[in-house]
Every structure is written in structure tokens, then in C-alpha cells.
Amino acid sequence: MPELPEVETVRRGLQQSVVGRKVLKVEVGRERTVRRTSREALIDGLTGVKIISATRRGKYLLCDLDSGQKLMMHLRMSGRLIIADPGAARPPHTHVVMHLANAETIESELWFVDPRTFGEVVVFDPDKLKTQMPDLAKLGVDPLTDEFTPEILRELFKKRRGNLKALLLNQHFVAGIGNIYADEILHLAKLRPDRLPDRLNNATLTRLHSAIVEVLNNAVAAGGSTLKDTQYVDLEGQTGSFQDEHRVYGRGGLPCLSCGKGRILMTIVAGRTTCYCSACQH
DNA sequence: AACTGTCCCTGCAAGC
DNA sequence: TGCTTGCAGGGACAGT
């Protein structure tokens, strides 16, 4: 399921294959995907418009349009963006299709495919960010920007009461971490997911900060994680390889790859399946 | 204000 | 084999 590294991989694909292209035509299949506005609003907002950038905030993909509006795409649980040849056979659950052109002839199609339909696509007015996109406006710091420092992390911890796993999953706190990377980060930082943040000393806080940056950067470098039960692929249909580097996620009951002493426990923390080492995480 | 639990939806796997 | 059940999970929302 797409978290920051997968979304960043998709963003890089958009940069390559979509930025600079003009949208000549838009098809919206299932209306649920455009539920924030409407089928008409998406078609009106994109038709004849050029895509001039591809950026990311947490798990949100954002494109500047030459109309002055912005395109937001969120993959949520099962969304995929695929670049395809015009007229190519579409997979089931292809809910939005944008026909893209370099000049005046259509040269590719961008498909938004999403079996579980949690994902969404919307064109919005950046001046109305707070009212139209309150979730986006409230996002916390993106951990792959210079803004994200151990000091910021310390400040954020001051006003929080939940456990470390809940905090990492909270998008208002740090944006982009989901269940897989929360577990991997806490394991690398040697911290128990149910531990409370109030008594972390500076060294521990720095360790957690480094683990967040390291795990996410390594996962981006590997093109994200493709799991057995998900169909995450990048824009070109390629799988990621970070799943081969997972040390705790999906390894419940197996020995710890890091300390060799503990076994990986699988429990529920913050309402989510959580894997951590019984020996090396404190 | 900040936290917890429930819901949305589909595909897949396990169990009968 | 073929059904049912449970699980996966990001974020909105309601309730505390």
C-alpha cells in the first residue's frame, strides 16, 4: 500500500512522463474516485490544461496546472497510476483516464486504477486550500525535506500523548509514514512501538529522527515496497524491491535479523497490526 | 486539542 | 470444490 516511498517513486514517474504534457481529454468511470467534487468538475478542470509540475506532500501527489489550479491525486490503499499507450487495454477498476499530448496528438494515457476505491483525484483552487482541502492544509512536516530536524521532532513530541507508533502514523505530526514504514523505522531506532514519547532523551530522539530519514530514503532508492497482497507498481508497471529489506513487517514469529536473539512479535498497536523485536526494541 | 474506534471497499486467503 | 469469514489499510468522521 502506497506510503511516502511509493508515492515519491510515482511522483518521479510523473515528472518524466506527464509534466509538460497537455491533457486533451478526460474520462471518469467511477464517480466515487472524484467524490470531493464531481465528474464534471474534474473534466472541466483538466481538459485543455497543461501539467507543469509534479510534487508531493506526504502521501499526496500534487501537480501545478497552467490554468492556475492544482491537481491532487491520492492513492490511499490500492490506487495505482499507470502510463500507457493510447487505446491499450485497461485493467479492471480504471476509474480515471487522462489522454496526454506533447503537441496536438495524443501520445499516452495516464490511468488511475483503484480496486478499493479509497483513492481520489481532484482539481482544486490553491486559494481555497483550507476549505477545499482541509486534510492537505493540516498535514505535518514532510520527513524528506530540510524542515525535518531532530529539533522539530522534539517540539512535536512536547504536545503529544499517544505512543510512538500512533504518532508516526499521524499525518498531522509527520506526513507520509504508514504501517509498514512505521514498524521498520521503530525497529531500526530500537524503540518499542507502544513506548510513550515523553521521556525520550536527546540521543534517543536523534536516533529516531535518523531512522525515519534512513528508512524512507532507502525505500525510495529501492522504488518502494511491493507486497504479495498489494499490487503496488510504479508508473511504468515496475515493482519495488524494498520488501526484500523489511526486517520486521510481515515477519511475525520469525527470528530478528538484526540482533539474532529476539523473535518478531505480531500484536496490535494504535489499532494496526504491528511487528517488533522482543529483544532489541525497548 | 488530541486521541480512539468505526467505517468505507475489494481481493485474497484461510477455514469449514 | 465452493461457500463464508476475516483481514489488509489511509484517512474522514463521530465520540470521548
Side-chain angles (χ1 to χ4, degrees), chain A residues 209-240:
Chain A
H209 174 269
S210 303
I212 292 171
V213 174
E214 188 177 333
V215 166
L216 295 177
N217 273 327
N218 288 345
V220 170
S225 303
T226 300
L227 304 179
K228 273 173 285 183
D229 66 330
T230 64
Q231 303 186 327
Y232 166 72
V233 288
D234 69 12
L235 217 61
E236 313 290 336
Q238 298 297 305
T239 59

Short mmCIF file of all heavy atoms in Angstrom, two decimals, chain A residues 209-240:
data_model
loop_
_atom_site.label_atom_id
_atom_site.label_comp_id
_atom_site.label_asym_id
_atom_site.label_seq_id
_atom_site.Cartn_x
_atom_site.Cartn_y
_atom_site.Cartn_z
N HIS A 209 14.95 10.16 14.75
CA HIS A 209 14.98 11.05 13.58
C HIS A 209 15.80 10.45 12.45
O HIS A 209 15.37 10.40 11.30
CB HIS A 209 15.54 12.42 14.00
CG HIS A 209 15.74 13.35 12.84
ND1 HIS A 209 16.92 13.42 12.14
CD2 HIS A 209 14.88 14.22 12.23
CE1 HIS A 209 16.78 14.30 11.16
NE2 HIS A 209 15.56 14.81 11.20
N SER A 210 16.98 9.94 12.80
CA SER A 210 17.85 9.33 11.78
C SER A 210 17.19 8.11 11.16
O SER A 210 17.32 7.89 9.95
CB SER A 210 19.18 8.90 12.40
OG SER A 210 19.80 9.99 13.01
N ALA A 211 16.51 7.33 11.99
CA ALA A 211 15.86 6.11 11.48
C ALA A 211 14.76 6.46 10.49
O ALA A 211 14.60 5.79 9.46
CB ALA A 211 15.31 5.28 12.63
N ILE A 212 14.00 7.50 10.78
CA ILE A 212 12.93 7.92 9.86
C ILE A 212 13.53 8.28 8.50
O ILE A 212 13.10 7.79 7.46
CB ILE A 212 12.17 9.14 10.45
CG1 ILE A 212 11.36 8.72 11.69
CG2 ILE A 212 11.25 9.76 9.39
CD1 ILE A 212 10.74 9.88 12.48
N VAL A 213 14.57 9.10 8.53
CA VAL A 213 15.19 9.57 7.29
C VAL A 213 15.84 8.41 6.54
O VAL A 213 15.68 8.26 5.32
CB VAL A 213 16.22 10.69 7.59
CG1 VAL A 213 16.97 11.08 6.34
CG2 VAL A 213 15.51 11.90 8.21
N GLU A 214 16.54 7.55 7.29
CA GLU A 214 17.27 6.45 6.65
C GLU A 214 16.33 5.43 6.01
O GLU A 214 16.53 5.04 4.85
CB GLU A 214 18.17 5.76 7.70
CG GLU A 214 19.09 4.73 7.07
CD GLU A 214 20.04 4.09 8.09
OE1 GLU A 214 20.34 4.74 9.11
OE2 GLU A 214 20.45 2.94 7.86
N VAL A 215 15.32 5.01 6.75
CA VAL A 215 14.39 4.00 6.21
C VAL A 215 13.67 4.55 4.98
O VAL A 215 13.58 3.88 3.94
CB VAL A 215 13.37 3.55 7.28
CG1 VAL A 215 12.22 2.78 6.65
CG2 VAL A 215 14.06 2.70 8.34
N LEU A 216 13.19 5.80 5.07
CA LEU A 216 12.44 6.35 3.94
C LEU A 216 13.35 6.56 2.72
O LEU A 216 12.96 6.24 1.59
CB LEU A 216 11.75 7.66 4.34
CG LEU A 216 10.65 7.51 5.40
CD1 LEU A 216 10.09 8.87 5.79
CD2 LEU A 216 9.53 6.59 4.94
N ASN A 217 14.56 7.05 2.95
CA ASN A 217 15.48 7.24 1.82
C ASN A 217 15.86 5.91 1.17
O ASN A 217 15.91 5.80 -0.06
CB ASN A 217 16.75 7.97 2.27
CG ASN A 217 16.57 9.48 2.22
OD1 ASN A 217 15.87 10.02 1.37
ND2 ASN A 217 17.20 10.17 3.16
N ASN A 218 16.13 4.90 1.99
CA ASN A 218 16.47 3.59 1.44
C ASN A 218 15.31 3.00 0.65
O ASN A 218 15.50 2.37 -0.39
CB ASN A 218 16.89 2.62 2.55
CG ASN A 218 18.25 2.96 3.12
OD1 ASN A 218 19.01 3.73 2.53
ND2 ASN A 218 18.56 2.42 4.29
N ALA A 219 14.10 3.23 1.18
CA ALA A 219 12.92 2.69 0.49
C ALA A 219 12.68 3.41 -0.84
O ALA A 219 12.32 2.78 -1.83
CB ALA A 219 11.69 2.80 1.40
N VAL A 220 12.90 4.71 -0.85
CA VAL A 220 12.77 5.46 -2.11
C VAL A 220 13.80 4.94 -3.12
O VAL A 220 13.49 4.69 -4.29
CB VAL A 220 12.95 6.98 -1.89
CG1 VAL A 220 13.06 7.71 -3.23
CG2 VAL A 220 11.79 7.56 -1.08
N ALA A 221 15.03 4.72 -2.63
CA ALA A 221 16.09 4.23 -3.52
C ALA A 221 15.74 2.87 -4.10
O ALA A 221 16.15 2.53 -5.22
CB ALA A 221 17.41 4.16 -2.75
N ALA A 222 14.98 2.08 -3.35
CA ALA A 222 14.59 0.73 -3.81
C ALA A 222 13.30 0.77 -4.62
O ALA A 222 12.79 -0.27 -5.02
CB ALA A 222 14.44 -0.20 -2.60
N GLY A 223 12.74 1.96 -4.81
CA GLY A 223 11.50 2.05 -5.58
C GLY A 223 10.27 1.64 -4.79
O GLY A 223 9.25 1.29 -5.37
N GLY A 224 10.35 1.67 -3.45
CA GLY A 224 9.21 1.33 -2.60
C GLY A 224 9.09 -0.16 -2.35
O GLY A 224 9.99 -0.94 -2.71
N SER A 225 8.00 -0.54 -1.71
CA SER A 225 7.75 -1.94 -1.35
C SER A 225 6.55 -2.47 -2.12
O SER A 225 5.49 -1.85 -2.13
CB SER A 225 7.43 -2.06 0.15
OG SER A 225 8.45 -1.52 0.95
N THR A 226 6.69 -3.61 -2.75
CA THR A 226 5.56 -4.30 -3.37
C THR A 226 5.30 -5.57 -2.59
O THR A 226 6.15 -6.44 -2.51
CB THR A 226 5.86 -4.64 -4.85
OG1 THR A 226 6.13 -3.43 -5.56
CG2 THR A 226 4.67 -5.34 -5.49
N LEU A 227 4.11 -5.66 -1.97
CA LEU A 227 3.79 -6.81 -1.13
C LEU A 227 3.01 -7.85 -1.93
O LEU A 227 2.47 -7.54 -2.99
CB LEU A 227 2.96 -6.37 0.08
CG LEU A 227 3.59 -5.29 0.94
CD1 LEU A 227 2.65 -4.93 2.07
CD2 LEU A 227 4.93 -5.73 1.48
N LYS A 228 2.95 -9.05 -1.38
CA LYS A 228 2.20 -10.12 -2.04
C LYS A 228 0.73 -9.74 -2.25
O LYS A 228 0.15 -10.00 -3.28
CB LYS A 228 2.26 -11.39 -1.17
CG LYS A 228 3.47 -12.25 -1.45
CD LYS A 228 3.55 -13.39 -0.43
CE LYS A 228 4.01 -12.88 0.90
NZ LYS A 228 4.21 -13.80 1.96
N ASP A 229 0.17 -9.11 -1.20
CA ASP A 229 -1.28 -8.86 -1.24
C ASP A 229 -1.64 -7.49 -1.82
O ASP A 229 -2.78 -7.10 -1.82
CB ASP A 229 -1.88 -9.01 0.16
CG ASP A 229 -1.37 -7.94 1.10
OD1 ASP A 229 -0.23 -7.48 0.90
OD2 ASP A 229 -2.10 -7.55 2.01
N THR A 230 -0.64 -6.76 -2.28
CA THR A 230 -0.99 -5.48 -2.92
C THR A 230 -0.42 -5.50 -4.32
O THR A 230 0.38 -6.34 -4.68
CB THR A 230 -0.39 -4.27 -2.17
OG1 THR A 230 1.02 -4.35 -2.26
CG2 THR A 230 -0.84 -4.24 -0.74
N GLN A 231 -0.83 -4.54 -5.09
CA GLN A 231 -0.36 -4.53 -6.46
C GLN A 231 0.42 -3.27 -6.74
O GLN A 231 0.36 -2.75 -7.84
CB GLN A 231 -1.56 -4.62 -7.39
CG GLN A 231 -2.40 -5.86 -7.13
CD GLN A 231 -3.50 -6.02 -8.14
OE1 GLN A 231 -4.05 -5.05 -8.64
NE2 GLN A 231 -3.83 -7.25 -8.47
N TYR A 232 1.13 -2.78 -5.72
CA TYR A 232 1.84 -1.53 -5.95
C TYR A 232 2.88 -1.69 -7.06
O TYR A 232 3.74 -2.57 -7.02
CB TYR A 232 2.54 -1.00 -4.68
CG TYR A 232 3.53 0.08 -5.06
CD1 TYR A 232 3.07 1.32 -5.48
CD2 TYR A 232 4.89 -0.19 -5.14
CE1 TYR A 232 3.95 2.29 -5.93
CE2 TYR A 232 5.78 0.78 -5.59
CZ TYR A 232 5.30 2.01 -5.98
OH TYR A 232 6.17 2.95 -6.44
N VAL A 233 2.80 -0.84 -8.05
CA VAL A 233 3.82 -0.73 -9.10
C VAL A 233 3.98 0.74 -9.43
O VAL A 233 3.10 1.55 -9.13
CB VAL A 233 3.43 -1.51 -10.38
CG1 VAL A 233 3.52 -3.00 -10.18
CG2 VAL A 233 2.04 -1.11 -10.88
N ASP A 234 5.10 1.08 -10.04
CA ASP A 234 5.32 2.47 -10.42
C ASP A 234 4.60 2.79 -11.73
O ASP A 234 3.87 1.96 -12.27
CB ASP A 234 6.82 2.80 -10.47
CG ASP A 234 7.54 2.09 -11.62
OD1 ASP A 234 6.87 1.53 -12.52
OD2 ASP A 234 8.78 2.10 -11.63
N LEU A 235 4.84 3.98 -12.25
CA LEU A 235 4.13 4.45 -13.44
C LEU A 235 4.34 3.53 -14.64
O LEU A 235 3.48 3.41 -15.51
CB LEU A 235 4.61 5.87 -13.77
CG LEU A 235 3.59 6.86 -14.28
CD1 LEU A 235 2.50 7.09 -13.27
CD2 LEU A 235 4.25 8.17 -14.66
N GLU A 236 5.50 2.90 -14.69
CA GLU A 236 5.83 2.03 -15.83
C GLU A 236 5.43 0.58 -15.56
O GLU A 236 5.75 -0.31 -16.34
CB GLU A 236 7.35 2.07 -16.10
CG GLU A 236 7.95 3.46 -16.14
CD GLU A 236 7.52 4.26 -17.37
OE1 GLU A 236 7.15 3.63 -18.37
OE2 GLU A 236 7.54 5.50 -17.31
N GLY A 237 4.78 0.34 -14.40
CA GLY A 237 4.36 -1.02 -14.09
C GLY A 237 5.40 -1.86 -13.39
O GLY A 237 5.23 -3.07 -13.21
N GLN A 238 6.51 -1.22 -12.96
CA GLN A 238 7.59 -1.96 -12.30
C GLN A 238 7.32 -2.09 -10.79
O GLN A 238 6.85 -1.14 -10.17
CB GLN A 238 8.93 -1.23 -12.48
CG GLN A 238 9.36 -1.11 -13.93
CD GLN A 238 9.59 -2.47 -14.58
OE1 GLN A 238 10.36 -3.28 -14.09
NE2 GLN A 238 8.89 -2.72 -15.69
N THR A 239 7.66 -3.24 -10.21
CA THR A 239 7.51 -3.42 -8.77
C THR A 239 8.68 -2.78 -8.04
O THR A 239 9.73 -2.54 -8.63
CB THR A 239 7.47 -4.92 -8.40
OG1 THR A 239 8.69 -5.52 -8.86
CG2 THR A 239 6.29 -5.62 -9.05
N GLY A 240 8.49 -2.49 -6.76
CA GLY A 240 9.59 -2.02 -5.92
C GLY A 240 10.35 -3.20 -5.36
O GLY A 240 9.97 -4.36 -5.59
#
